[in-house]
Coordinates of all heavy atoms in Angstrom, one line a residue:
S171 N 9.6 14.4 -10.4 CA 9.0 15.4 -11.3 C 10.0 15.8 -12.4 O 11.2 16.1 -11.9 CB 8.5 16.5 -10.5 OG 9.6 17.3 -9.9
G172 N 9.6 15.8 -13.6 CA 10.5 16.2 -14.7 C 11.6 15.3 -14.9 O 12.7 15.6 -15.5
G173 N 11.5 14.1 -14.4 CA 12.5 13.1 -14.6 C 13.8 13.1 -13.8 O 14.7 12.5 -14.0
L174 N 13.7 13.9 -12.7 CA 14.8 14.1 -11.8 C 14.5 13.9 -10.4 O 13.3 13.9 -10.0 CB 15.4 15.6 -11.9 CG 15.9 16.0 -13.4 CD1 16.2 17.5 -13.4 CD2 17.1 15.1 -13.8
L175 N 15.5 13.6 -9.6 CA 15.3 13.5 -8.1 C 15.3 14.9 -7.5 O 15.7 15.9 -8.1 CB 16.4 12.6 -7.4 CG 16.5 11.2 -8.0 CD1 17.7 10.5 -7.2 CD2 15.2 10.4 -7.8
E176 N 14.8 14.9 -6.2 CA 14.7 16.2 -5.5 C 16.1 16.7 -5.1 O 16.9 16.0 -4.8 CB 13.7 16.1 -4.3 CG 13.4 17.4 -3.7 CD 12.4 17.3 -2.7 OE1 12.1 16.2 -2.1 OE2 11.8 18.3 -2.3
Y177 N 16.2 18.0 -5.0 CA 17.4 18.6 -4.5 C 17.5 18.5 -2.9 O 16.5 18.3 -2.3 CB 17.5 20.1 -4.9 CG 16.2 20.9 -4.5 CD1 15.9 21.4 -3.3 CD2 15.3 21.2 -5.5 CE1 14.8 22.0 -3.0 CE2 14.1 22.0 -5.3 CZ 13.9 22.4 -4.0 OH 12.7 23.0 -3.7
P178 N 18.6 18.7 -2.4 CA 18.9 18.6 -0.9 C 18.1 19.8 -0.2 O 18.1 20.9 -0.8 CB 20.4 18.8 -0.6 CG 21.0 18.5 -2.0 CD 20.0 18.9 -3.1
Q179 N 17.6 19.5 1.0 CA 16.9 20.5 1.7 C 17.6 20.8 3.0 O 18.1 19.9 3.6 CB 15.4 20.1 2.0 CG 14.6 19.6 0.8 CD 13.9 20.9 0.3 OE1 14.1 22.0 0.6 NE2 12.7 20.6 -0.5
F180 N 17.4 22.1 3.5 CA 18.1 22.5 4.8 C 17.1 23.3 5.5 O 16.4 24.1 5.0 CB 19.3 23.3 4.5 CG 20.4 22.5 3.7 CD1 20.4 22.4 2.3 CD2 21.4 21.8 4.4 CE1 21.5 21.8 1.6 CE2 22.4 21.1 3.7 CZ 22.4 21.1 2.4
T181 N 17.2 23.3 6.8 CA 16.4 24.2 7.7 C 17.3 24.6 8.9 O 18.5 24.2 8.9 CB 15.1 23.4 8.2 OG1 14.4 24.3 8.9 CG2 15.4 22.3 9.1
R182 N 16.7 25.3 9.8 CA 17.5 25.8 11.1 C 18.0 24.6 11.9 O 17.3 23.6 11.9 CB 16.6 26.7 11.8 CG 16.1 28.0 11.1 CD 15.3 28.8 11.9 NE 14.8 30.0 11.2 CZ 13.9 30.9 11.7 NH1 13.4 30.7 12.8 NH2 13.6 32.0 10.9
P183 N 19.2 24.8 12.5 CA 20.0 26.0 12.6 C 20.9 26.2 11.4 O 21.1 25.2 10.6 CB 20.8 25.7 13.8 CG 21.0 24.2 13.9 CD 19.6 23.7 13.4
E184 N 21.4 27.3 11.2 CA 22.3 27.6 10.1 C 23.6 26.8 10.1 O 24.1 26.4 9.1 CB 22.6 29.1 10.1 CG 23.4 29.6 8.9 CD 23.7 31.1 8.8 OE1 22.7 31.8 9.2 OE2 24.7 31.5 8.4
V185 N 24.1 26.5 11.3 CA 25.2 25.6 11.4 C 24.8 24.4 12.4 O 24.3 24.6 13.5 CB 26.4 26.4 12.1 CG1 27.5 25.4 12.2 CG2 26.9 27.6 11.2
F186 N 25.0 23.3 11.9 CA 24.7 22.0 12.7 C 25.9 21.1 12.7 O 26.4 20.7 11.7 CB 23.5 21.2 12.1 CG 23.3 19.9 12.7 CD1 22.8 19.8 14.0 CD2 23.5 18.8 11.9 CE1 22.6 18.6 14.5 CE2 23.3 17.5 12.5 CZ 22.9 17.4 13.8
D187 N 26.5 20.9 13.9 CA 27.6 20.0 14.0 C 28.7 20.4 13.1 O 29.4 19.5 12.4 CB 27.3 18.6 13.8 CG 28.2 17.6 14.4 OD1 29.0 17.9 15.2 OD2 28.3 16.5 13.9
T188 N 29.0 21.7 13.0 CA 30.1 22.3 12.3 C 29.7 22.4 10.7 O 30.5 23.0 9.9 CB 31.5 21.6 12.3 OG1 31.5 20.4 11.6 CG2 31.8 21.4 13.9
I189 N 28.6 21.8 10.4 CA 28.2 21.9 8.9 C 27.3 23.1 8.6 O 26.2 23.1 9.2 CB 27.6 20.6 8.5 CG1 28.5 19.4 8.7 CG2 27.2 20.7 6.9 CD1 27.9 18.0 8.4
K190 N 27.6 23.9 7.8 CA 26.8 25.1 7.5 C 25.9 24.9 6.3 O 26.3 24.2 5.3 CB 27.9 26.3 7.2 CG 27.2 27.7 7.2 CD 28.3 28.8 7.1 CE 27.6 30.1 7.3 NZ 26.6 30.5 6.3
V191 N 24.8 25.6 6.3 CA 23.9 25.6 5.2 C 24.6 26.3 4.0 O 25.4 27.3 4.1 CB 22.6 26.3 5.5 CG1 21.7 26.6 4.3 CG2 21.8 25.7 6.6
P192 N 24.5 25.8 2.8 CA 25.1 26.4 1.7 C 24.8 27.9 1.5 O 23.6 28.3 1.7 CB 24.5 25.6 0.4 CG 24.2 24.2 1.0 CD 23.8 24.5 2.4
E193 N 25.8 28.6 1.2 CA 25.7 30.1 1.2 C 24.6 30.6 0.2 O 23.9 31.5 0.5 CB 27.0 30.8 0.9 CG 28.1 30.7 1.9 CD 27.7 31.6 3.2 OE1 26.9 32.5 3.0 OE2 28.2 31.3 4.2
V194 N 24.5 29.9 -0.9 CA 23.6 30.3 -1.9 C 22.1 30.4 -1.3 O 21.3 31.2 -1.7 CB 23.6 29.5 -3.1 CG1 23.2 28.1 -2.9 CG2 22.8 30.1 -4.4
L195 N 21.7 29.5 -0.5 CA 20.4 29.4 0.1 C 20.1 30.5 1.1 O 19.0 30.8 1.4 CB 20.2 28.0 0.7 CG 20.3 26.8 -0.1 CD1 20.0 25.5 0.7 CD2 19.3 26.9 -1.3
L196 N 21.2 31.2 1.5 CA 21.1 32.3 2.5 C 21.2 33.7 1.7 O 20.9 34.7 2.3 CB 22.2 32.2 3.5 CG 22.3 30.9 4.3 CD1 23.6 31.0 5.2 CD2 21.1 30.6 5.1
S197 N 21.4 33.6 0.4 CA 21.7 34.8 -0.3 C 20.4 35.6 -0.7 O 20.5 36.8 -0.8 CB 22.4 34.5 -1.6 OG 21.4 33.8 -2.5
G198 N 19.2 35.0 -0.7 CA 18.0 35.6 -1.1 C 18.0 35.9 -2.6 O 17.0 36.6 -3.1
H199 N 18.9 35.4 -3.4 CA 19.0 35.6 -4.8 C 18.2 34.4 -5.4 O 18.7 33.3 -5.6 CB 20.5 35.7 -5.3 CG 20.6 36.2 -6.7 ND1 20.1 35.5 -7.8 CD2 21.2 37.3 -7.1 CE1 20.3 36.1 -8.9 NE2 21.0 37.3 -8.5
H200 N 17.0 34.7 -5.9 CA 16.1 33.6 -6.3 C 16.6 32.9 -7.6 O 16.4 31.6 -7.6 CB 14.7 34.1 -6.5 CG 14.0 34.7 -5.3 ND1 13.8 34.0 -4.2 CD2 13.6 36.0 -5.0 CE1 13.2 34.7 -3.3 NE2 13.1 36.0 -3.8
E201 N 17.2 33.6 -8.5 CA 17.7 32.9 -9.6 C 19.0 32.0 -9.4 O 19.0 30.9 -9.9 CB 18.0 33.9 -10.7 CG 18.5 33.4 -12.0 CD 17.6 32.4 -12.7 OE1 16.4 32.3 -12.4 OE2 18.0 31.7 -13.7
Q202 N 19.9 32.5 -8.6 CA 20.9 31.7 -8.1 C 20.5 30.4 -7.4 O 21.1 29.3 -7.6 CB 21.9 32.5 -7.4 CG 22.6 33.5 -8.1 CD 23.6 34.3 -7.2 OE1 23.7 34.1 -6.0 NE2 24.3 35.3 -7.8
I203 N 19.5 30.6 -6.6 CA 19.0 29.4 -5.8 C 18.3 28.4 -6.7 O 18.5 27.2 -6.6 CB 17.9 29.9 -4.7 CG1 18.7 30.7 -3.6 CG2 17.2 28.7 -4.1 CD1 17.7 31.4 -2.6
R204 N 17.6 29.0 -7.7 CA 16.9 28.0 -8.7 C 17.9 27.2 -9.5 O 17.8 26.0 -9.5 CB 16.0 28.9 -9.7 CG 15.3 28.0 -10.6 CD 14.8 28.9 -11.8 NE 15.9 29.3 -12.7 CZ 16.5 28.5 -13.6 NH1 16.0 27.3 -13.8 NH2 17.4 29.0 -14.4

Side-chain angles (χ1 to χ4, degrees):
S171 64
L174 300 170
L175 300 180
E176 190 175 18
Y177 50 77
Q179 300 271 22
F180 299 85
T181 187
R182 297 177 182 177
E184 187 174 321
V185 179
F186 171 69
D187 196 20
T188 74
I189 303 175
K190 194 174 186 299
V191 172
E193 287 293 339
V194 66
L195 299 179
L196 306 174
S197 68
H199 195 296
H200 297 302
E201 179 60 11
Q202 289 180 3
I203 292 172
R204 184 195 69 81

